[in-house]
Amino acid sequence: MGEETGQEMSDEVERVRRPEGQWASPVESLHVHESVEGADPTTVEGRRISGPLQGFGRLWQKTYRVRLEGAEVTPEQVIAAWKADYGSFWPATSRFCAPFSGVTPGEVALISDRAPGGLRLSTGVLVLYADEVSFTFLCPEGHPFAGMITFSAQHDEDDVTVAQVQAIIRAQDPLVELTMPFYTQRQEDKVWQHVLTALAAHFGGADAQVSTDAVCVDSKRQWQRFGNVRHNAGLYALTRAFRRRRS
Amino acid sequence: MTESTLQIGVRESVPGVAVIDINGDITPTVEESLMEAYRECEHARMVVLNFERLEYLNSGGIGLLVTLLVRAQRHQQQLHAYGLSDHYRQIFEVTRLDDVIAIHDDEAGALSAAGGDHHG
C-alpha cells in the first residue's frame, strides 16, 4: 500500500464532507422532453422558473421530517431509493411523471394532480440540484407555488437516519393565495406527509410519525406579482374543461 | 451532521454600506451565523455580499440566501454581490436570485453601481 500524501488525504476528507453536487444550467424557459409521458406539458413548456422571490403570496418555510427508526439505512441509500422511484411515494390522487433520465439536474418532470370538481391540474418542476444526500426542485410559472423544495436525508443526534422535505414557497398568484388557508396549505401538508410515510414504510417503518413545521418567513404579499395569475394552471384546466363542454 | 465551515465578517465599507465577507461554505448548517451577520447590517441602507472566498454552496444554502434577501427587502435595503465565480453566477441565474440582487465583479463595482461613494 502506498503512502497517502497530505493532499490526497485532504481531498478524501473534502469528498466525504462535501458530496459531489450538480446543478441545472441556466435556462430562459423550460422544455419538456418527449420521453415524459402521462401529463399535459402545455402548462410547463416554454414557461420560466418561478423561485421563492418571484411569487405573490406570503413566504413560507415548511419542513416535514420522518425518523427512519430501526432501519439500517444510510442517508445516501435513502436518497438513492427516493430518486430512483420518486413518483411511487406520492398519493394516488397525484402523478409524478419523471423524465427518462430520472431525477437529474436540468430535467423537467411533469405533475398531474386531481383538483376539486374533477379537474385535472397539470404542472411540473425543474430538477435544480442533486447530490448523494439531497435533491431540489424548482417550480415553474403556472404551478400553484413559486419556490423550491429540497429533499434530503441525514443522521440525527441519535444516529438515526432522518428523511426531510423542506419547501420554501409562496402562492404563485392571488387566486392560489386566497385558497391557502382552507385548501392549498392543507393539501401541501397532506402530500408531503404521505410521501414521507410511504418512504418510511419502504424502509420497514410501518407507523412512522411525520413532524410538520411551518414558519412564515415573509408575511407581505408581492403585489407587483399580481399578473402571475395569467399562467395559473388551475385556470387553464378550468377553461379547457369549459371549451370541451361547449364543443 | 456536518460542522459549520463558514467564517463571516461584517464591515462598514462606506457610511451606510455594510459588506458581509463570506469565507467558506454556505449550507443549512451556517444559518445562525449568516443571520447573525445580517442582523449587524439591519440599519445599513445597502448590503453587499462578498463571495470572493465562497468555497461551496448547496441548494440548502440557496434557501438561506433567499431568507436573507427577503429580510433585506423587508428593510428596503439595496442588495449587491460581488466575487462570484462563473459557476455560482450561473446558479444565481438559474434560481433567479439575480432578479433581486445586483451582481458585480468587485467591491468597487458594487459600490459605484449602487450610487455609493467609494473612497478606495
Side-chain angles (χ1 to χ4, degrees):
Chain A
M1 249 169 82
E3 281 183 20
E4 278 186 315
T5 65
Q7 183 59 47
E8 282 168 346
M9 284 176 69
S10 162
D11 289 347
E12 178 63 16
V13 168
E14 197 72 348
R15 192 192 67 75
V16 171
R17 185 172 69 81
R18 180 183 298 174
E20 194 60 36
Q22 289 187 334
W23 293 85
S25 299
V27 283
E28 198 56 43
S29 60
L30 298 183
H31 172 60
V32 182
H33 196 271
E34 287 168 2
S35 68
V36 183
E37 292 177 351
D40 182 2
T42 316
T43 52
V44 178
E45 180 71 35
R47 295 285 165 85
R48 297 181 74 196
I49 280 303
S50 189
L53 301 165
Q54 279 80 40
F56 171 83
R58 294 193 289 174
L59 182 64
W60 293 90
Q61 179 175 291
K62 306 191 81 173
T63 308
Y64 310 86
R65 278 195 195 97
V66 67
R67 299 178 88 230
L68 304 176
E69 227 148 346
E72 295 288 326
V73 62
T74 64
E76 288 83 357
Q77 288 169 329
V78 171
I79 292 301
W82 209 346
K83 279 187 204 166
D85 214 0
Y86 180 84
S88 71
F89 301 111
W90 273 41
T93 51
S94 306
R95 190 165 171 210
F96 181 87
C97 310
F100 183 70
S101 56
V103 177
T104 307
E107 293 286 0
V108 176
L110 295 179
I111 296 166
S112 177
D113 208 0
R114 200 181 302 153
L119 285 176
R120 189 141 282 277
L121 210 144
S122 291
T123 181
V125 288
L126 170 76
V127 183
L128 170 70
Y129 175 88
D131 64 31
E132 292 163 15
V133 290
S134 70
F135 56 100
T136 299
F137 294 160
L138 261 178
C139 302
E141 294 169 333
H143 191 288
F145 296 114
M148 56 196 287
I149 303 176
T150 296
F151 307 83
S152 61
Q154 61 182 27
H155 292 297
D156 70 6
E157 58 277 9
D158 300 324
D159 218 24
V160 173
T161 299
V162 178
Q164 174 179 293
V165 178
Q166 185 169 70
I168 302 178
I169 49 172
R170 62 195 338 153
Q172 186 80 256
D173 62 52
L175 287 182
V176 179
E177 180 73 351
L178 271 176
T179 67
M180 285 289 273
F182 61 90
Y183 179 74
T184 310
Q185 288 264 34
R186 290 179 198 172
Q187 284 303 110
E188 181 75 356
D189 290 347
K190 276 185 193 171
V191 167
W192 300 126
Q193 286 160 358
H194 179 99
V195 165
L196 287 177
T197 304
L199 187 72
H202 176 80
F203 290 107
D207 301 312
Q209 295 296 308
V210 176
S211 68
T212 302
D213 180 38
V215 176
C216 184
V217 179
D218 184 14
S219 58
K220 284 188 177 166
R221 275 110 188 170
Q222 303 203 113
W223 288 95
Q224 74 273 26
R225 305 285 182 181
F226 189 93
N228 287 357
V229 72
R230 69 190 184 280
H231 297 300
N232 185 299
L235 277 184
Y236 175 81
L238 199 64
T239 53
R240 188 181 52 183
F242 183 69
R243 281 197 304 266
R244 274 187 188 157
R245 266 187 209 159
R246 290 194 62 177
S247 61
Chain B
M1 301 279 286
T2 50
E3 285 177 21
S4 168
T5 54
L6 179 70
Q7 289 180 311
I8 199 158
V10 179
R11 59 191 160 88
E12 191 175 44
S13 181
V14 293
V17 178
V19 178
I20 301 180
D21 296 307
I22 289 160
N23 183 355
D25 301 351
I26 301 184
T27 65
T29 57
V30 305
E31 178 173 10
E32 208 169 301
S33 46
L34 190 62
M35 294 309 155
E36 196 181 306
Y38 175 70
R39 277 193 288 275
E40 291 181 40
C41 311
E42 276 182 350
H43 299 294
R45 67 175 168 81
M46 174 176 151
V47 178
V48 179
L49 298 171
N50 170 10
F51 289 111
E52 280 181 335
R53 292 187 175 181
L54 172 68
E55 288 182 14
Y56 178 70
L57 170 71
N58 67 7
S59 61
I62 288 285
L64 280 187
L65 290 178
V66 167
T67 305
L68 193 147
L69 294 177
V70 164
R71 289 186 182 182
Q73 282 180 332
R74 206 186 290 164
H75 287 94
Q76 298 183 318
Q77 293 168 308
Q78 291 181 48
L79 270 165
H80 296 259
Y82 71 91
L84 282 166
S85 67
D86 288 345
H87 173 63
Y88 288 122
R89 273 188 188 228
Q90 285 199 346
I91 289 163
F92 271 51
E93 196 181 327
V94 71
T95 54
R96 293 186 67 187
L97 286 181
D98 63 351
D99 279 10
V100 290
I101 183 165
I103 297 172
H104 309 277
D105 291 335
D106 51 32
E107 188 171 332
L111 294 177
S112 62
D117 294 320
H118 182 231
H119 302 296

